[in-house]
Amino acid sequence: MRTVLAMTTNPSRAGRREWTALGVLMLPLLLVSMDVSVLYFAIPAISADLEPSGTQQLWIFDVYGFVLAGLLMTMGSVGDRIGRRRLLLAGAVAFGAASLVAAYADSAETLIAARAVLGIGGATLMPSTLALVRTMFTDPAQRAKAIALWSGVMTAGVALGSVLSGVLVEYFWWGSVFLVNLPAMALLLVLGPFLLPESKDPAPGRFDWPSVPLSMAAVLPVVYGLKEIPSEGWNVRYVVSVTVGLLFAALFVHRQRTAASPMISPALFRGRGFAPAVALNLVSAFGMMGSAFFTTQYLQSVLGKSAMEAALWALLPSVPIGFAAPVAASLVQRGVHRAHVVAAGFAVAACGYGLLSLAGTDSLWLVLAACGVLASGIVMVMSQLMDLALGTVPVERAGSASSLMETGTEFGGALGMAVLGSVGTAVYRHGVPDSAPAAAHETLGGALAVADRLPGRAGDALATAAREAFTQGMQGAAVTGAVVLAGAAVLAATVLRRARVHEQAATTNAGQADRLSPSGV
């Protein structure tokens, strides 16, 4: 064994070992992000086999994301205390075991429980992977490249998940969408102990157990309410859910400010650039997920593509993602101020929404181009904000910092779907003829179902009107998204100019140098 000691006062350049280890870390990250969307095409087969109730079907789909979001901050803090590699490997065991149980589940209850454990495993894997990137890549330029790759893989995983599920369900049975996790987790468990260094906070203090339920009570009601508002409207119970979550969030913040050993140290926000990075990252997730609410429905319900065709077409906008983050990192390394790169990313994403606002009811290539431009801009932003946030904190707090960024991503995505989804729904309902049945005013899918039951021209007229109304709603949401992201571009150019990060100074001000546990391999 060898002892690894990394000091930000004299950062060493990563070699082949570290870059190979990064490749290993990409496996769990890809699978965790894919599991968000991997059930898109498997749900019909699961419903036919397990016959879940409507409520059970919703839990099968949503419990993974809820548990993941609720435990991110807890697991980030746990990793800082017990070691990120140890937590990562434990999470891989849980993720693999839960995948096996889910694949062969013989009841809806078993599948829901397995998906919940998958969420627990995912919550351990995501912040651990990013914290280990911070540990292995102490050279700022190399770390920027590594985080750019991390951001691209995470974003691409969501798109790949739906396509993979469609292919597997087409040729195998629905349980195969979970079995694909096993080889990757096995490889991580075999190679991880040899390639990944162990790192943790050498003086973490006592774990603050009351913060665990407070953090979950803050995150889960807000995410739940925001996810339901786009489809159900501003129902009182969803507004109450969000309000309750915000109240618990205030209690959680108070606990962190007053506890002797908080789960999330307030000192993180004293690093120049960390708070702006968290806030702007939330806005970037707002833009990314807000568009997804419309584009998937547009491909299927407006253009009439099958689910599989829609998923394959949706892969095209993912192609430029692989180039966006490295380009952003290269610009910063060549001397372009990070504030300008992030502002440019937001501006590019705003242009993507601008293109989307021009779409008609038969604009496949325009919509795909808009999604590609939007996604490229967002990935530029996210990769730079992740690098900025991690560069401001000492390595012993990298897990907590990573979990905060990822929790902000969850909040931003849910908020984007709620706000832009509500704008689009309001425009849609205004555009549907008053004479149409009530079901047609709720959703485009409901309108098309009603149109199928109407005779001749009446059905065709309703379907055409509903598609036009939905497209107008998408245009309205796109204009709103463009305004928000354009505002974020101006904000980023302003606040990030004052957040020039020097890792040596940040660590010195924190009173600690980056260090790794002597138990590292």
Side-chain angles (χ1 to χ4, degrees):
M1 301 183 83
R2 62 182 178 92
T3 300
V4 180
L5 182 63
M7 304 289 290
T8 52
T9 54
N10 184 24
S12 59
R13 290 184 62 81
R16 182 179 300 175
R17 180 190 183 94
E18 286 77 15
W19 289 107
T20 303
L22 178 64
V24 173
L25 284 178
M26 294 301 98
L27 292 174
L29 175 65
L30 181 66
L31 292 173
V32 169
S33 56
M34 283 173 55
D35 259 43
V36 173
S37 57
V38 78
L39 291 187
Y40 281 179
F41 295 145
I43 280 291
I46 292 172
S47 299
D49 190 13
L50 302 183
E51 299 181 350
S53 65
T55 301
Q56 287 175 327
Q57 180 170 304
L58 289 175
W59 276 110
I60 289 171
F61 194 84
D62 289 334
V63 69
Y64 173 80
F66 287 153
V67 173
L68 176 69
L71 287 177
L72 278 171
M73 285 190 288
T74 297
M75 292 305 179
S77 181
V78 169
D80 286 345
R81 285 167 166 77
I82 70 171
R84 290 84 183 228
R85 185 184 67 182
R86 180 180 298 175
L87 184 65
L88 179 75
L89 297 180
V93 172
F95 203 85
S99 297
L100 188 62
V101 173
Y104 294 100
D106 57 0
S107 68
E109 293 82 0
T110 301
L111 184 54
I112 291 170
R115 288 276 289 170
V117 177
L118 281 170
I120 296 173
T124 68
L125 294 170
M126 289 191 72
S128 296
T129 58
L130 190 53
L132 284 168
V133 169
R134 171 69 174 89
T135 298
M136 295 187 298
F137 297 91
T138 57
D139 178 76
Q142 289 188 319
R143 187 184 64 235
K145 292 179 181 178
I147 291 177
L149 291 172
W150 187 95
S151 301
V153 169
M154 183 185 68
T155 306
V158 178
L160 289 173
S162 60
V163 177
L164 180 65
S165 69
V167 172
L168 291 174
V169 172
E170 179 76 18
Y171 295 102
F172 303 99
W173 96 110
W174 60 263
S176 60
V177 303
F178 298 107
L179 290 183
V180 294
N181 296 334
L182 298 182
M185 292 302 156
L187 187 62
L188 175 61
L189 290 171
V190 170
L191 297 180
F194 299 99
L195 292 174
L196 301 174
E198 184 58 286
S199 65
K200 60 183 178 181
D201 189 342
R206 297 179 59 185
F207 187 74
D208 188 45
W209 288 103
S211 291
V212 176
L214 279 178
S215 66
M216 296 189 70
V219 173
L220 294 180
V222 175
V223 172
Y224 169 74
L226 292 177
K227 282 183 177 290
E228 294 299 321
I229 285 171
S231 56
E232 301 293 335
W234 292 87
N235 188 292
V236 172
R237 65 176 180 270
Y238 303 135
V239 175
V240 169
S241 177
V242 172
T243 303
V244 169
L246 293 177
L247 290 175
F248 275 107
L251 292 174
F252 176 76
V253 171
H254 177 73
R255 177 73 186 181
Q256 306 317 297
R257 293 171 63 90
T258 58
S261 180
M263 176 190 290
I264 303 295
S265 174
L268 289 174
F269 291 90
R270 298 183 193 129
R272 295 177 63 190
F274 184 80
V278 172
L280 290 170
N281 186 64
L282 186 150
V283 178
S284 66
F286 175 102
M288 177 65 82
M289 296 307 297
S291 67
F293 179 80
F294 296 97
T295 52
T296 53
Q297 294 186 70
Y298 180 87
L299 291 174
Q300 293 184 71
S301 298
V302 176
L303 297 183
K305 305 293 183 184
S306 68
M308 190 63 183
E309 287 177 325
L312 291 173
W313 278 113
L315 275 180
L316 286 181
S318 302
V319 174
I321 290 176
F323 303 96
V327 167
S330 177
L331 289 173
V332 173
Q333 291 163 21
R334 291 174 182 271
V336 180
H337 198 294
R338 193 193 304 270
H340 297 153
V341 175
V342 173
F346 274 123
V348 169
C351 289
Y353 267 124
L355 288 175
L356 194 61
S357 70
L358 302 177
T361 55
D362 188 19
S363 302
L364 172 63
W365 290 105
L366 179 61
V367 168
L368 294 178
C371 291
V373 172
L374 172 63
S376 297
I378 292 297
V379 171
M380 288 177 64
V381 170
M382 283 186 165
S383 62
Q384 286 303 304
L385 293 177
M386 288 289 185
D387 186 37
L388 172 61
L390 292 180
T392 64
V393 300
V395 72
E396 55 264 28
R397 292 174 180 166
S400 297
S402 302
S403 66
L404 274 175
M405 292 294 287
E406 289 159 7
T407 301
T409 299
E410 295 291 333
F411 272 125
L415 185 63
M417 293 183 69
V419 173
L420 299 186
S422 297
V423 170
T425 299
V427 175
Y428 167 79
R429 289 174 178 170
H430 180 75
V432 174
D434 295 336
S435 58
H441 286 269
E442 294 301 317
T443 64
L444 175 58
L448 296 179
V450 170
D452 285 340
R453 296 192 296 267
L454 294 177
R457 293 182 178 178
D460 293 340
L462 176 58
T464 299
R467 290 188 175 102
E468 290 176 350
F470 178 86
T471 303
Q472 292 167 1
M474 183 174 71
Q475 293 168 350
V479 170
T480 303
V483 171
V484 170
L485 295 184
V490 175
L491 183 63
T494 303
V495 300
L496 294 186
R497 285 191 64 83
R498 300 192 297 268
R500 186 181 293 272
V501 178
H502 299 284
E503 283 79 9
Q504 294 181 11
T507 305
T508 301
N509 291 338
Q512 297 174 326
D514 285 356
R515 72 198 76 181
L516 300 180
S517 167
S519 62
V521 175

